[in-house]
Amino acid sequence: MSGSFSFRLVAHDGAARAGEIATTHGLVRTPAFMPVGTQATVKAMYPDQVRAAGADIVLANTYHLMLRPGAERIAALGGLHRFMNWPHAIITDSGGFQVMSLAPLRKIDDNGVTFRSHIDGATYELTPERATEIQILLGADIAMQLDECVRLPAPRDDIARAVALSLAWGERAKRAFEEAPSGRALFGIVQGGDDAELRCASARSVVGAGFHGYAIGGLAVGEPQDVMLRIIAEVEPLLPVGRPRYLMGVGTPDDLIEAVARGMDMFDCVLPTRNGRHALAFTRHGPINLRNARHADDPRPLDEASPCAAARTYARAYLHHLFKANEMLGAMLLTAVNLSYYLELMAGMRDAILQGRFAAFAAETREGWARGDIAPV
Amino acid sequence: MSGSFSFRLVAHDGAARAGEIATTHGLVRTPAFMPVGTQATVKAMYPDQVRAAGADIVLANTYHLMLRPGAERIAALGGLHRFMNWPHAIITDSGGFQVMSLAPLRKIDDNGVTFRSHIDGATYELTPERATEIQILLGADIAMQLDECVRLPAPRDDIARAVALSLAWGERAKRAFEEAPSGRALFGIVQGGDDAELRCASARSVVGAGFHGYAIGGLAVGEPQDVMLRIIAEVEPLLPVGRPRYLMGVGTPDDLIEAVARGMDMFDCVLPTRNGRHALAFTRHGPINLRNARHADDPRPLDEASPCAAARTYARAYLHHLFKANEMLGAMLLTAVNLSYYLELMAGMRDAILQGRFAAFAAETREGWARGDIAPV
């Protein structure tokens, strides 16, 4: 594996790390939150807003894009960066998780997964080779190996089988990735459910196989936070210091702080965008539900000290009205507020790590949440 | 009626007029297209985008806003300009048209209209006085009298009765408007359906009553374009040269050219915003339906020479994908494209009038539409 992809550890504070991932589409400052752009768009946001909010990288989805509009089509159109008008870094999910959660009639064997499209019922096959090929076609700066993510709770044997399968698939993905243009990266995925022993075995094997970076998959799927944090703490010492670590599908603002404290570097989650579309704002004062009637007459903005114009400018009463009236601008504004808050939180953690005051930053942030929303007028 | 509202005729070219309306929230250059912001938001647009596209004024709706969030509430929050973060001019519809088209169980008598809210079934009364009061509370720069708009075709007697009632209501609205702060304007509305004689009688009476401006209502409700243009041509000579003329609810780009050619100054219509949400783009090459499969592989933008970034930047294939995938960004981008096109068309007409080449501009514009969309690659 060659090319200009690289990771540089800039500083650490305890286990928390600040780093820089170099890609052919720019630097990714870590710890990094990666807004979710499943269908080649971060829902309700213009790409330049996503960038202005502080994102260095977005996540797109192999499963969704292979079905619609199709990977070959996006390649013929000049690749995903041009297609979605996002000239910065892009990471793509392998699609394994979405096949399991969205596709009807899926069938898994050693070779890969056969499934029907949730859009038109057509049959598709996703193998480690095809998942890799699709991500190369899309032009992802970072591709993920195809893996199998077991729904928890699950019998230990099922988890062990998925670990073995994911490892074999990882090795096949790596061979397939030799076709990738230089400068691209492939990450391996550690599985193992909530079983520390299987997790560690998985981590050792995946690291042994050798990837540009390592992800922990199959967490944040409904287990308690302490289970997730325990697994991270077990796996982290087995991951090489010089490679980025991606905790997939995580999480709440508190999850992000806890995971960064345990040495994780990269994150993605639908929470800021999905909750934004459902009237829930993330703020320095904790979550605020704009559907609540207490906002109906409140002239104050969500947070007048926010770097996000949407949070500073619009009255809570107006945001409340937009959601009551089903107006798209409500989703647009709160998505912007939430992504901005998430990215501000990541930037705050990074600065704190660089200054050696991560614990103090985490405590101050939690104090803000605990104080709760400012009282109504 | 006093204050800083004024209209200045800057130039004319045949019957086509270029003017300036001064309001306490800025100049409105005419001919003016007024984007529709029914529920205190131009759907799928940030207010600064609406402004950047060239809008001097937006239209909000008395009926919708009295029901939700309520006129007194908006007044307590500092008025509609602050509420919707639009510091420029605002005109408000009187609500008469929406009561007739949306509210169940409406009952009309000389005093006003009683109706049930389409939102929660609660009973409301809208009188000329209350409609005026609401618009004063909202802080509209231009308020409209309450009128009765008859659905066509209708018996002549019904149209005549509505003309008389609308005139009486106009006079009551005018008295109620004496409570308005200075600088605000009230427009009277000419009714009369498709009957030229009733239209002219209505125009003479409404002009006799005396308003800051005059609207022609009850057109663009399904009648053929030539009927609408004939009525405009009959009414126009009866309207004072020194007051703005507002053709309500109009129209297609071609309607706008024809109506400006006949001396109309102001327009509002849901077409650019509604069609934008339904994948139909207005362009120099005529309308383009982005749902059409011929766009699926087309890397070209809608119009690379457009002043609108959305029209220049995104591939047709991407816009097609966004609508197929039900992504909000599709509606956001095409609404921006359409409003930009409408406002560009108005600016083009205005410049042409100032240069005494309105007919040539109209012919060139129509040639562009007739040429049709550029051929697929």
Side-chain angles (χ1 to χ4, degrees), chain A residues 299-320:
Chain A
R300 296 167 313 158
L302 269 171
D303 182 355
E304 60 200 5
S306 170
C308 169
R312 278 196 318 272
T313 306
Y314 295 86
R316 289 160 180 238
Y318 184 62
L319 297 171
H320 176 77

Side-chain angles (χ1 to χ4, degrees), chain A residues 127-347:
Chain A
T127 61
E129 290 78 12
R130 176 64 180 154
T132 304
E133 182 188 24
I134 289 172
Q135 296 178 83
I136 293 172
L137 283 165
L138 294 174
D141 298 289
I142 303 176
M144 303 299 300
Q145 68 150 97
L146 187 68
D147 63 336
E148 187 194 354
C149 173
V150 173
R151 223 183 275 269
L152 298 181
R156 190 168 194 274
D157 283 358
D158 286 4
I159 301 176
R161 192 193 43 72
V163 164
L165 187 65
S166 295
L167 177 64
W169 285 2
E171 286 166 342
R172 284 165 57 190
K174 203 181 152 184
R175 278 193 298 277
F177 198 73
E178 288 166 7
E179 303 299 317
S182 71
R184 313 256 186 109
L186 176 70
F187 280 24
I189 305 179
V190 174
Q191 287 289 355
D194 52 2
D195 187 299
E197 200 179 335
L198 288 174
R199 282 282 176 185
C200 291
S202 174
R204 283 192 193 93
S205 307
V206 174
V207 171
F211 291 89
H212 292 101
Y214 298 94
I216 303 181
L219 290 179
V221 290
E223 79 283 359
Q225 190 196 45
D226 65 322
V227 172
M228 176 178 84
L229 299 179
R230 180 172 53 78
I231 296 294
I232 296 170
E234 297 274 358
V235 168
E236 190 271 338
L238 305 176
L239 302 176
V241 168
R243 302 284 184 196
R245 296 97 172 257
Y246 166 23
L247 182 61
M248 302 180 79
V250 172
T252 65
D254 188 62
D255 288 340
L256 295 175
I257 291 180
E258 295 288 6
V260 169
R262 286 163 180 77
M264 297 296 108
D265 303 313
M266 301 161 70
F267 308 89
D268 77 282
C269 189
V270 295
L271 275 182
T273 40
R274 179 174 295 164
N275 282 356
R277 297 196 302 283
H278 292 92
L280 196 86
F282 290 104
T283 77
R284 289 183 302 135
H285 308 291
I288 299 177
N289 185 346
L290 269 306
R291 282 202 176 268
N292 194 304
R294 77 183 167 94
H295 304 294
D297 294 298
D298 195 335
R300 296 167 313 158
L302 269 171
D303 182 355
E304 60 200 5
S306 170
C308 169
R312 278 196 318 272
T313 306
Y314 295 86
R316 289 160 180 238
Y318 184 62
L319 297 171
H320 176 77
H321 165 69
L322 292 175
F323 280 98
K324 295 279 281 185
N326 253 322
E327 284 285 356
M328 227 178 265
L329 185 59
M332 292 161 63
L333 290 171
L334 275 211
T335 303
V337 165
N338 287 351
L339 268 190
S340 175
Y341 182 69
Y342 263 64
L343 292 163
E344 185 193 349
L345 177 63
M346 302 314 285

